[in-house]
Amino acid sequence: MKTLQSIKARTGEPLGAPLCASTPEQVDACASAAGAAFGDWSSSDGGTRAALLRGLASALESDREGLVALADEETGLGPARLNGELDRTAFQLRRFADIAERGVAFEFVDDPALAGAPPIGHPAMVRQRVPLGPVAMFSASNFPFAFSVLGGDTASALAAGCPVVVKAHSGHLLLSNRVIGLVQQVLKTQGLPAGLISMIQGGGNDVGVRLVRHPAMAAGAFTGSTRGGAALQAEASARPRPIPFYGELGSTNPVVALPALLASKGAELAATLAGSISQGCGQFCTSPGLIVLIDSPESDAFVAQLTTALTAQNPHAMLTPGMRKAFDAGVEHMVSAGARPLLQEAGTPEAPRPFLAQVDAASFIAQAELRDEVFGPSSLIVRAGSVAEVLQVLQAVGGSLTVTLWGAQDESEDTRALVRGAMAIAGRVLFAGVPTGVAVTAAQQHGGPWPSSTQPMTTSVGDAAMDRFLRPVALQDAPAWLLARKGQPC
């Protein structure tokens, strides 16, 4: 039997006893149990779903001290950050509880019959939504609470009426096992089947692939690398019955800073940006990995200010030894592709130093390797000669979760063009602040064109995340008893 070992992020030492990887039989059992739980849960009312989600939020909060301490050992993210993330996770669960209780999943369009011949006349139609089915949810490395066992994917799937099988991330195995223990207690207390929310674990890709391939699974949700997400998406598409795969993948999150604003606020913006690049050791999907400047004295001064500000940053240890090695490899790959280092210092085996490099726009556009995400406290400055060249840089990026436009507050031909260019490649466009920090709210869009996500029409954060797990169905000339259910599946 394969075993897994949790690691202390700050030292690389083993943490706790080895854990057993899920066997193929255990993966199949969890998927089948989710399938068995689907019928009743898909037809449950909003109150039942809300009660579960609120119970899960309370369970997290009741074990806060133990959960945060364990998460800190496994991730090195620090109690302040982890307490805030636990708060966010509980908030997400309760927000989706409110959404379920309001009956958002059961909203329908009533289109009464209209007399006459087609195309004007038509029968009575009701358009409602039904849950897709069990969801294979892949935990993220960088958010051990908010994108893990009880993260936004799980909360939104449950609110939609879908059971969940979680694939735990190897970077926080002990925490995941503790959380799933709380989950099972809540399910038992509320008289719900254990298969409604279950968890598997494994160090390689065989466990996750088997889960995606299982015929009971109806959708996948993933947050992680482009390579890993693309492989799982291919598995989801290659099934005899393909299923949707909602992957949030790699993103460079360009920040475009115009000279006029840099002239008045350059030092302030440099300090803000340096903090964003280093925040969480750069292990955010919205970390600003690309800075696009137009050649000017103001941009020259800003590069110097940013270099100084980054030098003062002290990132903590990365989540896993593998990520630490990948960061170094990504930096070297960027340099070998032609980027000129401006700040490159040796770090510790666990914690890297910030990295900053620069390249001209023509080289960036020509060299695909320069557009790869480097997961960690790293950013690449791209120097453009004009707004037109900035737009070519954005087009070369192809897809990003965010684009930030600093200095576009006044309307002009240039700012209109920049907004169009940013909206063409990003799910969220910012005009102030930095992209790190994703609000859980009604208007949020956390997803963009490839390679930032596999489904740019959907979001993994915010109220609309639930829509991923609901499928529209039209009922024509439906009987009165069915209409009386007001959109609740039977």
Side-chain angles (χ1 to χ4, degrees):
M1 179 177 290
K2 295 181 181 178
T3 59
L4 310 169
Q5 179 63 62
S6 179
I7 300 295
K8 295 181 180 180
R10 293 184 179 88
T11 65
E13 297 173 305
L15 176 63
L19 301 169
C20 293
S22 298
T23 65
E25 293 76 18
Q26 289 170 330
V27 175
D28 292 347
C30 286
S32 296
F38 175 58
D40 287 343
W41 189 247
S42 67
S43 60
S44 62
D45 59 27
T48 301
R49 298 177 190 180
L52 173 59
L53 291 164
R54 291 181 183 129
L56 294 171
S58 296
L60 282 178
E61 291 170 334
S62 69
D63 194 24
R64 175 188 295 272
E65 185 176 351
L67 291 172
V68 168
L70 183 54
D72 185 43
E73 282 200 280
E74 285 194 295
T75 68
L77 293 175
R81 149 73 193 272
L82 292 165
N83 270 293
E85 190 183 328
L86 190 149
D87 289 339
R88 169 184 166 165
T89 307
F91 173 81
Q92 288 176 158
L93 288 161
R94 292 193 174 102
R95 187 175 183 93
F96 278 108
D98 294 342
I99 290 170
E101 198 166 52
R102 293 201 308 270
V104 175
F106 312 129
E107 290 175 348
F108 60 92
V109 176
D110 188 6
D111 192 0
L114 186 62
I120 296 175
H122 62 78
M125 303 282 285
V126 172
R127 192 174 193 268
Q128 65 179 61
R129 298 185 294 176
V130 297
L132 284 180
V135 176
M137 198 287 284
F138 292 81
S139 295
S141 62
N142 52 346
F143 284 88
F145 290 115
F147 283 83
S148 189
V149 178
L150 287 179
D153 287 334
T154 297
S156 55
L158 291 171
C162 299
V164 176
V165 180
V166 178
K167 163 62 169 63
H169 195 277
S170 58
H172 35 83
L173 286 169
L174 295 179
L175 176 68
S176 297
N177 276 272
R178 184 159 179 155
V179 172
I180 199 65
L182 295 173
V183 169
Q184 291 300 317
Q185 292 175 21
V186 173
L187 292 174
K188 184 177 181 180
T189 298
Q190 296 194 10
L192 296 169
L196 185 56
I197 310 169
S198 59
M199 191 186 84
I200 60 173
Q201 56 193 17
N205 61 8
D206 53 332
V207 167
V209 167
R210 189 173 186 92
L211 180 62
V212 168
R213 288 176 176 173
H214 196 282
M217 307 315 295
F222 173 90
T223 299
S225 69
T226 300
R227 181 179 178 181
L232 288 170
Q233 182 188 33
E235 291 290 346
S237 299
R239 289 169 32 128
R241 177 191 171 198
I243 58 174
F245 185 82
Y246 303 108
E248 182 219 300
L249 312 178
S251 182
T252 54
N253 306 296
V255 175
V256 179
L258 300 182
L261 186 63
L262 294 180
S264 61
K265 301 181 69 174
E268 176 187 342
L269 292 172
T272 300
L273 187 57
S276 181
I277 292 169
S278 297
Q279 184 181 6
C281 200
Q283 298 168 123
F284 286 94
C285 50
T286 52
S287 184
L290 196 65
I291 304 160
V292 189
L293 305 176
I294 296 176
D295 287 330
S296 65
E298 295 84 0
S299 295
D300 293 339
F302 179 73
V303 170
Q305 292 163 337
L306 178 60
T307 304
T308 300
L310 267 178
T311 302
Q313 297 290 321
N314 290 296
H316 56 65
M318 297 196 79
L319 292 162
T320 68
M323 290 179 186
R324 179 68 181 87
K325 292 178 183 177
F327 174 78
D328 287 341
V331 165
E332 291 304 319
H333 187 67
M334 187 184 297
V335 173
S336 66
R340 180 171 64 87
L342 301 176
L343 179 61
Q344 186 176 18
E345 301 172 343
T348 69
E350 291 76 33
R353 294 288 298 145
F355 174 79
L356 184 67
Q358 184 169 263
V359 72
D360 63 88
S363 298
F364 179 82
I365 293 166
Q367 289 282 99
E369 294 87 350
L370 292 171
R371 303 194 288 274
D372 292 339
E373 178 190 28
V374 178
F375 195 63
S378 163
S379 199
L380 175 65
I381 296 171
V382 178
R383 299 297 294 263
S386 63
V387 168
E389 199 167 34
V390 170
L391 294 172
Q392 292 173 0
V393 168
L394 294 180
Q395 188 176 30
V397 169
S400 183
L401 293 172
T402 72
V403 170
T404 302
L405 300 178
W406 283 346
Q409 295 302 323
D410 296 326
E411 184 179 6
S412 68
E413 184 177 346
D414 282 346
T415 54
R416 288 196 301 272
L418 286 170
V419 170
R420 285 196 304 271
M423 293 180 69
I425 71 163
R428 178 164 57 107
V429 180
L430 296 82
F431 297 91
V434 287
T436 42
V438 184
V440 182
T441 186
Q444 185 59 266
Q445 176 60 32
H446 192 59
W450 181 270
S452 63
S453 70
T454 61
Q455 302 284 345
M457 308 80 64
T458 68
T459 179
S460 62
V461 178
D463 297 1
M466 185 180 66
D467 295 340
R468 296 173 296 171
F469 308 117
L470 292 165
R471 179 176 62 84
V473 175
L475 305 177
Q476 182 170 321
D477 290 328
W481 69 265
L482 188 53
L483 297 176
R485 295 185 65 84
K486 300 294 185 182
Q488 181 181 336
C490 57

